[in-house]
């Protein structure tokens, strides 16, 4: 079992940047790692994912602004968020997925974009 702990959230002004980190308790090398977000009253959505061989995928609305990366040596995945908008406000969750019986979530970190 893998435990995930997110950090790096906070309050930022529109146009600002944040870097989220997700630290795992064990090796993440075999996992597809993803960042999801959930805004109040909305469904959780996939923001970005990165496979074990570093192929990436992004939600259309964050393309060109967000970058996901992974450091398997540190068992950590990152989400660099630039040019933040108020609509990016949400709780951001880290996910590790290998198969249905090997899928894990972090507790989430709040990102608020507001002036």
């Amino acid at each position: 079992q893998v435990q995930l702990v997110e950090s790096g959230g906070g309050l930022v002004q529109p146009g600002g940047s944040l870097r989220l980190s997700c630290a795992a308790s064990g090796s993440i090398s075999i996992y597809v790692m993803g960042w999801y977000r959930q805004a109040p009253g909305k469904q959780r959505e996939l923001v970005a994912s990165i496979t074990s061989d570093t192929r990436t995928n992004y939600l259309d609305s964050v393309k060109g602004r967000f970058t996901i990366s992974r450091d398997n040596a540190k068992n950590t995945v990152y989400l660099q968020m630039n040019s933040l908008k108020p609509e990016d406000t949400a709780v951001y969750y880290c996910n590790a997925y290998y198969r249905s019986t090997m899928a894990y979530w972090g507790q989430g970190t709040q990102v608020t974009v507001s002036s």
Side-chain angles (χ1 to χ4, degrees):
Q1 188 167 353
V2 174
Q3 295 180 330
L4 304 173
V5 179
E6 301 99 334
S7 61
L11 173 64
V12 63
Q13 292 187 341
S17 297
L18 283 175
R19 188 195 196 201
L20 305 184
S21 298
C22 171
S25 61
S27 175
I28 63 169
S29 61
I30 65 170
Y31 291 91
V32 176
M33 301 300 297
W35 285 98
Y36 289 72
R37 68 186 181 189
Q38 188 167 20
K42 294 188 177 181
Q43 289 189 329
R44 190 173 296 191
E45 62 182 355
L46 176 63
V47 176
S49 63
I50 184 166
T51 64
S52 57
D53 59 352
T54 67
R55 286 175 289 129
T56 58
N57 184 57
Y58 295 94
L59 183 68
D60 282 348
S61 62
V62 309
K63 285 180 180 176
R65 300 189 297 123
F66 290 11
T67 303
I68 189 170
S69 61
R70 63 192 296 159
D71 186 338
N72 289 342
K74 296 183 178 179
N75 297 327
T76 301
V77 63
Y78 306 96
L79 186 67
Q80 178 67 44
M81 305 187 295
N82 299 327
S83 303
L84 282 161
K85 304 176 180 180
E87 51 264 43
D88 295 317
T89 295
V91 178
Y92 283 71
Y93 297 91
C94 180
N95 173 266
Y97 180 87
Y98 182 66
R99 55 177 180 247
S100 60
T101 55
M102 292 177 65
Y104 309 101
W105 291 94
Q107 83 289 348
T109 185
Q110 177 70 47
V111 172
T112 302
V113 185
S114 175
S115 55

